[in-house]
Amino acid sequence: MEERPETELISIPATPRASTPEILTPSGQRSPRGTTHTSKDAKSWTPTSFISPRFLSPIGTPMKRVLVNMKGYLEEVGHLTKLNPQDAWLPITESRNGNAHYAAFHNLNAGIGFQALVLPVAFSFLGWSWGIISLTIAYFWQLYTLWILVQLHEAVPGKRYNRYVELAQAAFGERLGVWLALFPTVYLSAGTATALILVGGETMKLFFQIVCGPLCSSNPLTTVEWYLVFTSLCIVLSQLPNLNSIAGLSLVGAVTAITYTTMAWVLSVSQPRPPSISYEPISVPTYTTSLFSVLNAMGIIAFTFRGHNLVLEIQATMPSTFKHPAHVPSWKGAKVAYFFIAMCLFPIAIGGFWAYGNLMPSGGMLSALYAFHLHDIPRGLLAMTFLLVVFNCLSSFQIYSMPAFDSFEAGYTSRTNRPCSIWVRSGFRIFFGFVSFFIGVALPFLSSLAGLLGGLTLPVTFAYPCFMWVLIKKPTKYSFNWYFNWILGWLGVAFSLAFSIGGIWSMVNNGLKLRFFKPS
């Protein structure tokens, strides 16, 4: 029997690179469908199998054009998968009109933030050589795992893994995936939101002090009251319904982050350096203390690249069809975002260490500007830098809180089988905001634990994606790809344990007194 041309076979490809098309749900939103099963051996019939070159050859051009257009339409319909109506009710997948620009905004907003301000602190323990080497390796390592997550979003035909935990369950199993991924991703979302409240509130206080000076110091707000003011602003902004609706806020967060990181290192290098500056790593009395200090410093660098728990969620906001898969605009936006991230992180780390050396305060760049150049830098420039940090923290709070909002609403919709009303949705977000506030008040040292946070959440960025690639893509056993991902994954786990121990040691050794700022 003559084998039909390849153009006739429009069934779902067996390759895992195939993407998942979608149609509109009754609510008007795009939503993924369930998997369509096909035999690997049999060549299945599709609605366009009869529209082949042999069939079209005797037909005139107008009729041929109509049938070819019909073939394209039926090609899309032939790949539809089962509807999951709950996705159209949840904040992450409620809107599917994202694009490469939105992906760039979201990744920039999540990838640059207050953690960049403490990179020079890590350099003060590592020195020039090891600081630059560690930052460079971490950057390219996380860029590779970011590419892995973008590719695995639609690794299985007919299925989109819209959340990090879903992908972990597909790779590690239902129960083990939840145990491995749920804690670090929740810890990243809730912990980062709490740290943003602390940093944002303290920055607002310093901004107020710089602008008003002695004129407004008769009855100033306390630090906790500034936390409350910042939390209230976050709650107001969090009423935006879904991830796509905060694209404008992410753009504001990205622009402000690029601006204030650039201003911080430019203002620092433009001022005279302290006379007693040294670039030798901070000396410590014992070898054990030195080892743990280095591990904590590397944990700070690892924490700088947190944000991979949001990559799948960002890609889930994009429409995806067989011809136009979502991973293409997602990776395009991510590449642009991480180019700008590199243009911010490397200069602030190198420039900040050059300006202050091992005299760098434990609070990072803003503490150094406030301590060394309060009277040297024009008050307006200094105040603008602090105000940009406040705007960035407000924007970053929204994107890091969105997975928590999604989890709350998923629990509600699965129990009630209906979408959340405006009041229920607002209640969840107010509850989350004030819980983060109370945690910040009870544990005010949380914002200083960059090393510990980096160690505990490092597997999400550096280890799990490598394991997921091996378990889902199944590269040839003992091939370079197989060895490379297994080695990277286990190295990530080992570094996670080491950095966590270093972060705990640093926390205990410093008596929980480290802060990003030291407000009076």
Side-chain angles (χ1 to χ4, degrees):
M1 180 179 178
E2 181 182 358
E3 185 176 352
R4 288 182 295 176
E6 188 176 345
T7 54
E8 297 183 50
L9 303 178
I10 317 296
S11 57
I12 297 179
T15 172
R17 294 174 181 262
S19 55
T20 308
E22 302 160 324
I23 61 175
L24 295 178
T25 67
S27 64
Q29 305 294 346
R30 295 184 182 273
S31 184
R33 311 305 196 255
T35 306
T36 302
H37 299 282
T38 60
S39 172
K40 294 183 179 179
D41 300 323
K43 296 179 180 178
S44 56
W45 180 89
T46 66
T48 60
S49 295
F50 68 92
I51 309 178
S52 65
R54 287 183 303 172
F55 179 81
L56 293 175
S57 56
I59 301 179
T61 301
M63 180 62 70
K64 183 176 181 179
R65 188 180 299 115
V66 170
L67 291 177
V68 168
N69 291 336
M70 183 185 297
K71 175 184 177 182
Y73 171 75
L74 293 177
E75 209 172 56
E76 295 292 333
V77 175
H79 288 83
L80 295 180
T81 51
K82 190 178 178 181
L83 172 68
N84 180 9
Q86 188 183 10
D87 274 343
W89 300 339
L90 301 179
I92 288 175
T93 49
E94 185 178 57
S95 174
R96 297 275 194 174
N97 60 354
N99 52 46
H101 297 91
Y102 285 12
F105 300 159
H106 289 317
N107 280 293
L108 267 170
N109 190 26
I112 310 177
F114 67 89
Q115 75 281 1
L117 299 172
V118 293
L119 276 176
V121 178
F123 274 51
S124 65
F125 288 97
L126 297 174
W128 279 119
S129 300
W130 285 110
I132 295 175
I133 290 172
S134 300
L135 184 59
T136 303
I137 291 175
Y139 176 79
F140 285 104
W141 189 346
Q142 62 83 34
L143 196 62
Y144 171 67
T145 55
L146 176 73
W147 176 82
I148 286 178
L149 291 174
V150 169
Q151 298 300 316
L152 291 182
H153 179 85
E154 297 171 284
V156 177
K159 174 68 176 177
R160 294 184 71 176
Y161 298 111
N162 296 315
R163 296 157 185 88
Y164 196 99
V165 176
E166 294 178 9
L167 183 61
Q169 287 178 301
F172 304 121
E174 292 291 330
R175 292 187 177 181
L176 183 60
V178 170
W179 280 103
L180 290 177
L182 188 61
F183 169 74
T185 53
V186 169
Y187 191 60
L188 266 175
S189 295
T192 303
T194 304
L196 286 167
I197 289 176
L198 299 179
V199 175
E202 292 169 353
T203 310
M204 289 181 73
K205 180 177 181 178
L206 290 177
F207 170 77
F208 183 79
Q209 291 175 349
I210 293 171
V211 172
C212 292
L215 300 177
C216 304
S217 59
S218 58
N219 190 23
L221 295 177
T222 64
T223 303
V224 174
E225 289 171 338
W226 281 112
Y227 292 162
L228 184 59
V229 171
F230 185 84
T231 303
S232 301
L233 293 175
C234 289
I235 290 174
V236 171
L237 292 176
S238 69
Q239 301 309 310
L240 293 170
N242 54 60
L243 190 55
N244 267 339
S245 66
I246 66 169
L249 284 177
S250 290
L251 175 59
V252 172
V255 172
T256 54
I258 293 172
T259 306
Y260 79 69
T261 52
T262 303
M263 288 181 65
W265 72 263
V266 169
L267 289 174
S268 297
V269 300
S270 63
Q271 299 298 319
R273 288 178 289 177
S276 58
I277 190 172
S278 172
Y279 298 111
E280 293 296 324
I282 295 177
S283 59
V284 289
T286 64
Y287 175 78
T288 303
T289 304
S290 176
L291 175 62
F292 285 130
S293 298
V294 168
L295 291 176
N296 183 60
M298 296 180 73
I300 292 174
I301 292 177
F303 181 59
T304 304
F305 297 106
R306 90 277 185 269
H308 281 39
N309 62 311
L310 297 169
V311 172
L312 295 171
E313 284 80 352
I314 293 170
Q315 192 167 338
T317 64
M318 301 178 184
S320 186
T321 64
F322 177 66
K323 288 185 176 179
H324 304 286
H327 70 82
V328 175
S330 179
W331 179 237
K332 186 182 298 183
K335 285 189 296 184
V336 173
Y338 276 85
F339 170 79
F340 283 104
I341 289 173
M343 294 299 100
C344 292
L345 296 185
F346 283 89
I348 199 171
I350 296 172
F353 186 57
W354 181 88
Y356 307 108
N358 57 17
L359 298 178
M360 173 65 63
S362 60
M365 288 294 288
L366 293 188
S367 292
L369 285 172
Y370 193 81
F372 291 103
H373 305 300
L374 179 61
H375 303 293
D376 301 329
I377 298 175
R379 182 186 296 182
L381 279 178
L382 201 59
M384 182 184 297
T385 304
F386 282 75
L387 185 61
L388 291 172
V389 174
V390 174
F391 287 155
N392 175 255
C393 289
L394 286 170
S395 303
S396 297
F397 182 91
Q398 308 309 318
I399 192 167
Y400 272 96
S401 301
M402 199 59 70
F405 300 157
D406 189 83
S407 297
F408 289 148
E409 295 187 31
Y412 177 87
T413 56
S414 62
R415 287 178 175 83
T416 62
N417 198 27
R418 62 181 181 183
C420 292
S421 65
I422 294 177
W423 299 109
V424 172
R425 174 171 282 183
S426 298
F428 283 143
R429 300 181 182 201
I430 293 171
F431 170 77
F432 178 81
F434 281 109
V435 166
S436 300
F437 165 75
F438 286 120
I439 293 175
V441 173
L443 305 173
F445 55 85
L446 187 63
S447 64
S448 68
L449 306 184
L452 179 59
L453 288 171
L456 291 176
T457 58
L458 184 145
V460 172
T461 302
F462 294 96
Y464 291 165
C466 300
F467 294 142
M468 292 172 181
W469 180 266
V470 174
L471 295 173
I472 294 178
K473 288 289 189 176
K474 294 181 171 55
T476 305
K477 201 170 184 180
Y478 306 125
S479 64
F480 173 79
N481 195 352
W482 188 87
Y483 275 118
F484 183 70
N485 284 284
W486 274 118
I487 291 172
L488 278 186
W490 285 114
L491 277 177
V493 172
F495 285 149
S496 174
L497 295 174
F499 297 168
S500 299
I501 294 172
I504 293 172
W505 175 89
S506 179
M507 180 183 69
V508 174
N509 187 63
N510 290 281
L512 306 180
K513 294 179 181 178
L514 289 176
R515 300 291 293 277
F516 275 107
F517 307 102
K518 296 181 180 179
S520 56

